[in-house]
Amino acid sequence: MTGPHGTKSAGGAAGTEGAAAPPPTRMAGHLRLPGAVALAITIVVGSGALVSPGIAYHQTGQAALYAWLVAAAVTVPLLIVFARLGADLPGAGGVAGFVQAGFGRSWAAGVEVMLLGTFGLGIPAIALTGGFYLQQIPGLHAVPAWAAAIGLLALAGLSVAIGGSVSSRIQIVLALFMTAGLLAAAVLGLSGGDPVEHLPPARPEELALGVAALGAVFFAFTGWEMLSFTTEEYADPRRDFPRVVVISFLVVTTLYVLLAWAVQTRLAEDDPKAASSPIHAVVSAAAPGLAWVVSVLGVVIIAANLVGAVWAASRLVMSSAREGLLPRPMARLSRSAGTPPRNAVMACVAVFGLMALATASDLLSLSDLLTVAGQNFFLLYLFSAVVYARLKTGAPRAFGIAIAVLLGLLALTFGPLQLGYALALLVLGRVLSRRSGKRREAAPGS
């Protein structure tokens, strides 16, 4: 038996001498600033970086650059909320942990189930996007997208299951590779002609036109909400999490603006490839022999994105199992606190793989997965803003209320089916929480 600080008491020394220590209940704080920044970049920069610059340009012409600048400005207050909550309330529950601190376990369980339902749609969609990119690599055209997606998910699960310190090193390498690749594509695009000539005119009507394309680019700025599920593994979350958010935001925004500028410098507005594969078109125009590299880069970006996504989802599963919402084995760690919850990782990969496979039988479409998941992820910002307003006082509370009201108004524009899906998951989570709470009260030693 142990004393209050984990030391052996005299009466239990003989009986426990030589016995194996019990497995840890929390993960070790192994994640430091470089690895955490790399993880943030790879979580945020996904398929949106390869497609969104062209979609916005196709819609609004040179004014599209304003859409990226406005989207970055709109993201700042949302990230302030996330940075402060992540620093103050670190834990594997992420946004659900924020909600639990503000509104109690029952509401947190509802958010957990909504998140599980969202991850179950969004992460397979990311994997399928990677499968489509893999098909564009010479010699791999015949590989089914769903099979490639399952393979990418398996690789992501393996990377996460190896261990946190190794996974963070892998993410650093992937982040450097993808950042360098996207930066090189932007430089190639800007090298054609005079980039200054392709800047949007400084007129109010042009700015308004760019704002109209905000919806086409805002999806590229999502992902920091998933980073909140990794804060338990930070060596110093209060110090490092806000720094990670700021550094990754600056890197990501710089990349996006340069890519958008390169697209409208190198391509014509009516170029059909601008809306479907803009980065590929930019590289093809600048260096035709290197076009295949964009397909490889796309697969690398999606692979890195999947590692971060499986990392975050497995931590949510682990946290939910700790609370009794999911089976207890999902929370199990090995005797080394640096080892991830491998049961949770394997369960996530299996479920995501089955969802990807379902698209092969036309049960689900990629657009369905992306639409529902994207809108549910948006609701995470709303929940976080509400929690921020509840926990803070004075000016910070007023700031949180303003953000929550704005996000709430935007959420009302979602379709009834999407809102109904989110609401059904929230209610299901609250019901399951009450049942698990009764089981815990009845358990011996509770």
Side-chain angles (χ1 to χ4, degrees):
M1 110 182 114
T2 59
H5 300 290
T7 58
K8 291 178 182 177
S9 63
T16 58
E17 185 176 353
T25 57
R26 292 179 63 83
M27 298 194 68
H30 62 85
L31 204 52
R32 302 188 183 277
L33 192 62
V37 170
L39 181 60
I41 292 172
T42 54
I43 285 178
V44 176
V45 178
S47 58
L50 300 172
V51 178
S52 297
I55 294 175
Y57 179 51
H58 191 71
Q59 291 179 355
T60 62
Q62 292 183 0
L65 201 58
Y66 284 134
W68 290 95
L69 296 174
V70 171
V74 169
T75 303
V76 169
L78 304 181
L79 294 187
I80 290 174
V81 170
F82 261 93
R84 289 304 338 143
L85 289 176
D88 294 341
L89 303 167
V95 178
F98 303 162
V99 173
Q100 183 158 332
F103 294 95
R105 176 61 202 156
S106 179
W107 281 108
V111 173
E112 285 173 7
V113 173
M114 195 199 84
L115 282 165
L116 292 170
T118 302
F119 282 147
L121 299 179
I123 296 177
I126 295 172
L128 286 166
T129 303
F132 291 132
Y133 270 102
L134 188 137
Q135 288 178 328
Q136 304 307 312
I137 298 175
L140 298 178
H141 304 293
V143 177
W146 62 266
I150 292 175
L152 289 171
L153 283 167
L155 287 175
L158 178 63
S159 174
V160 175
I162 289 173
S165 59
V166 176
S167 297
S168 64
R169 293 191 196 104
I170 292 174
Q171 290 302 88
I172 290 173
V173 173
L174 291 174
L176 290 173
F177 183 85
M178 60 190 279
T179 301
L182 290 173
L183 183 60
V187 171
L188 279 174
L190 292 171
S191 64
D194 184 1
V196 177
E197 294 180 359
H198 298 275
L199 289 173
R203 296 194 300 263
E205 57 269 27
E206 292 291 323
L207 177 60
L209 188 60
V211 172
L214 185 61
V217 304
F218 187 77
F219 179 75
F221 283 90
T222 61
W224 281 282
E225 69 281 356
M226 295 180 71
L227 194 66
S228 64
F229 298 96
T230 68
T231 51
E232 179 177 310
E233 297 164 74
Y234 276 55
D236 189 346
R238 179 172 290 275
R239 181 195 66 187
D240 287 343
F241 190 70
R243 294 181 181 182
V244 168
V245 171
V246 171
I247 294 171
S248 60
F249 172 76
L250 293 175
V251 172
V252 167
T253 301
T254 300
L255 272 179
Y256 286 167
V257 170
L258 288 176
L259 286 170
W261 192 7
V263 166
Q264 61 192 57
T265 296
R266 179 66 71 164
L267 304 180
E269 292 180 32
D270 58 353
D271 188 334
K273 293 182 179 179
S276 59
S277 53
I279 308 305
H280 187 276
V282 165
V283 175
S284 296
L290 296 178
W292 64 272
V293 176
V294 177
S295 298
V296 175
L297 178 62
V299 174
V300 171
I301 288 174
I302 298 303
N305 212 218
L306 285 173
V307 172
V310 172
W311 190 325
S314 63
R315 275 36 174 189
L316 171 64
V317 169
M318 176 182 68
S319 177
S320 297
R322 285 175 181 169
E323 297 289 347
L325 189 66
L326 294 177
R328 288 288 184 184
M330 297 297 171
R332 186 175 299 151
L333 298 172
S334 75
R335 302 197 181 276
S336 169
T339 302
R342 288 176 176 150
N343 289 346
V345 173
M346 289 188 293
C348 287
V349 171
V351 171
F352 300 154
L354 288 174
M355 292 298 292
L357 182 61
T359 62
S361 58
D362 295 327
L363 295 175
L364 295 167
S365 70
L366 180 60
S367 61
D368 291 337
L369 296 177
L370 287 172
T371 300
V372 177
Q375 292 182 347
N376 278 8
F377 278 127
F378 179 87
L379 293 176
L380 300 185
Y381 287 103
L382 173 59
F383 297 152
S384 297
V386 171
V387 171
Y388 189 83
R390 182 176 178 85
L391 296 180
K392 300 296 182 180
T393 58
R397 170 171 286 181
F399 175 77
I401 291 173
I403 297 299
V405 170
L406 174 61
L407 296 178
L409 292 174
L410 291 174
L412 292 177
T413 65
F414 294 172
L417 289 178
Q418 285 79 17
L419 286 176
Y421 177 69
L423 179 61
L425 292 176
L426 284 169
V427 172
L428 176 62
R430 296 201 68 188
V431 171
L432 292 176
S433 174
R434 290 171 181 169
R435 294 181 62 183
S436 65
K438 291 178 180 178
R439 289 197 303 269
R440 293 178 70 180
E441 289 175 1
S446 60

